[in-house]
């Protein structure tokens, strides 16, 4: 059976996509998957009195994201329910995914972070059971996250969660622990159990050249994982004329998915920058199709 490309799926199939099936669907789309990361507790568009709000997850979906990743999940989840400004309360991540029509992943981190966001099998299992489509193991600024530490927690999670969970692991920036991005460091994450690897896009982090990135991407893909090229150094709030260069560099080096960080409007990227990037990597047809599949679903 042929694996469906993520860019061909409708909102119902998207919202139900998770685990290794999600990773395979991203790989099948040949570098045309958009990922929007947002703060879990933010709504950038503040409503007028008497008007409904709009959560950041809805905005990135409306501007072309195929996958939404929630950062700082502990600010919105009390262990039993998600309280999202502009959207209300959800009893599971799967319910949220169905409502916005996108698979929803969760950022986890090693180190001293709040329990819900900590990359431990017992905490991660709760998120998977609630319907998290994938777990993105990374490190926020200043946390001192290293590739060695990421490899260690990736292995712990893979052993604790089993083979079918989507584990994407890596760094979007130095995270307070400067170390060169190399093919060996990234493939060590695959060896530890990651089916997806996160790396900074050329042009977003000093020293990450197109040549280095192309070598690393090829090594990770040859090892059997997909690569998510990340914009996580506040360039998600750059001018739109910067974006086509980053996008075409990303296509040239061969990344499978394109990540936009959460540092512009309160807790998300500039939606117009995401739109311009999407048009550059997959044209208006696929971009507009994905945008038209936005909008709120019904509660189940």
């Amino acid at each position: 059976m042929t694996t469906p490309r993520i860019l061909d799926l409708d909102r119902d199939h998207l919202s139900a996509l998770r685990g290794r099936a999600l990773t395979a669907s991203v790989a099948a789309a040949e570098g045309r998957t958009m990922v929007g990361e947002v703060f879990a507790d933010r709504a950038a568009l503040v409503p007028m009195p008497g008007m409904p709000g709009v959560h950041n997850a809805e905005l990135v979906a409306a501007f072309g994201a195929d996958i939404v990743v929630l950062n700082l999940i502990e600010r919105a989840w009390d262990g039993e329910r998600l309280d999202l400004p502009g959207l209300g309360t959800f009893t599971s991540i799967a319910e949220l995914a169905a409502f916005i029509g996108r698979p929803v992943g969760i950022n986890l981190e090693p180190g001293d972070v709040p329990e819900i966001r900590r990359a431990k099998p017992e905490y991660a299992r709760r998120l998977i059971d609630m319907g998290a489509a994938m777990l993105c193991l990374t490190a926020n600024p200043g946390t001192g996250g290293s590739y060695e530490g990421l490899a260690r927690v990736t292995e712990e999670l893979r052993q604790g969660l089993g083979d079918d969970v989507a584990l994407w692991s890596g760094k979007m920036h130095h995270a307070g622990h400067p170390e060169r991005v190399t093919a060996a460091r990234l493939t060590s994450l695959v060896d530890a159990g990651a089916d997806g690897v996160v790396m900074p896009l050329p042009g977003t982090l000093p020293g990450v050249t197109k040549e280095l990135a192309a070598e690393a991407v090829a090594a990770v893909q040859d090892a059997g994982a997909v690569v998510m090229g990340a914009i996580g150094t506040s360039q998600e709030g750059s001018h739109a004329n910067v974006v086509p260069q980053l996008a075409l560099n990303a296509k040239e080096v061969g990344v499978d998915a394109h990540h936009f960080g959460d540092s512009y409007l309160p807790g998300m990227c500039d939606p117009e920058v995401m739109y311009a990037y999407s048009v550059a990597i997959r044209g208006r047809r696929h971009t507009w199709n994905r945008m038209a599949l936005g909008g709120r679903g019904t509660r189940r």
Side-chain angles (χ1 to χ4, degrees):
M1 183 176 178
T2 302
T3 299
R5 305 184 306 176
I6 193 169
L7 75 166
D8 293 333
L9 299 179
D10 61 26
R11 56 179 293 126
D12 289 339
H13 287 96
L14 275 172
S15 63
L17 190 61
R18 62 190 62 168
R20 289 292 182 100
L22 181 149
T23 303
S25 191
V26 168
E30 298 180 327
R32 287 175 286 181
T33 300
M34 299 285 292
V35 181
E37 179 183 337
V38 300
F39 284 2
D41 64 332
R42 298 292 178 89
L45 296 185
V46 179
M48 297 292 288
M51 294 176 60
V54 177
H55 190 268
N56 291 355
E58 294 183 281
L59 269 180
V60 294
F63 277 81
D66 303 290
I67 301 168
V68 175
V69 176
L70 299 183
N71 193 15
L72 306 178
I73 183 66
E74 73 279 0
R75 296 182 179 180
W77 186 42
D78 64 4
E80 296 182 0
R81 61 186 67 82
L82 282 165
D83 187 15
L84 303 175
L87 281 179
T89 301
F90 294 82
T91 57
S92 71
I93 298 168
E95 184 185 7
L96 170 62
F99 197 60
I100 66 173
R102 302 292 187 276
V104 176
I106 306 294
N107 263 350
L108 296 182
E109 296 185 61
D112 186 18
V113 297
E115 177 181 300
I116 294 172
R117 186 166 28 110
R118 197 175 307 159
K120 291 288 186 181
E122 58 269 31
Y123 308 141
R125 171 52 64 189
R126 291 185 296 179
L127 295 168
I128 295 299
D129 290 344
M130 286 183 67
M134 52 88 79
L135 300 176
C136 185
L137 312 180
T138 188
N140 274 303
T143 57
S146 67
Y147 284 108
E148 181 181 358
L150 283 169
R152 184 174 60 254
V153 297
T154 299
E155 184 174 15
E156 290 175 359
L157 288 181
R158 179 59 72 200
Q159 291 177 353
L161 300 175
D163 291 335
D164 192 49
V165 172
L167 294 177
W168 293 14
S169 181
K171 294 201 288 184
M172 305 165 190
H173 42 67
H174 285 314
H177 193 288
E179 51 188 343
R180 188 176 297 277
V181 178
T182 65
R185 285 187 170 125
L186 297 183
T187 54
S188 73
L189 301 174
V190 185
D191 294 340
D195 54 312
V197 167
V198 184
M199 67 168 289
L201 284 177
T204 68
L205 195 69
V208 181
T209 64
K210 287 192 292 183
E211 294 76 17
L212 184 156
E215 177 189 357
V217 168
V220 169
Q221 292 171 340
D222 287 346
V226 299
V227 178
M228 181 167 72
I231 303 175
T233 51
S234 299
Q235 287 159 296
E236 58 265 42
S238 186
H239 293 294
N241 61 2
V242 174
V243 169
Q245 177 183 344
L246 294 177
L248 295 178
N249 285 349
K251 289 283 277 191
E252 182 178 339
V253 304
V255 303
D256 300 283
H258 308 262
H259 160 276
F260 275 75
D262 50 30
S263 181
Y264 174 60
L265 293 170
M268 66 173 291
C269 65
D270 181 341
E272 292 184 352
V273 166
M274 172 175 274
Y275 171 76
Y277 191 109
S278 180
V279 170
I281 65 161
R282 58 187 182 182
R284 289 181 173 90
R285 183 168 67 96
H286 286 300
T287 297
W288 291 354
N289 181 66
R290 181 57 73 234
M291 293 171 70
L293 291 175
R296 297 179 176 184
T298 56
R299 296 293 180 101
R300 294 177 178 175

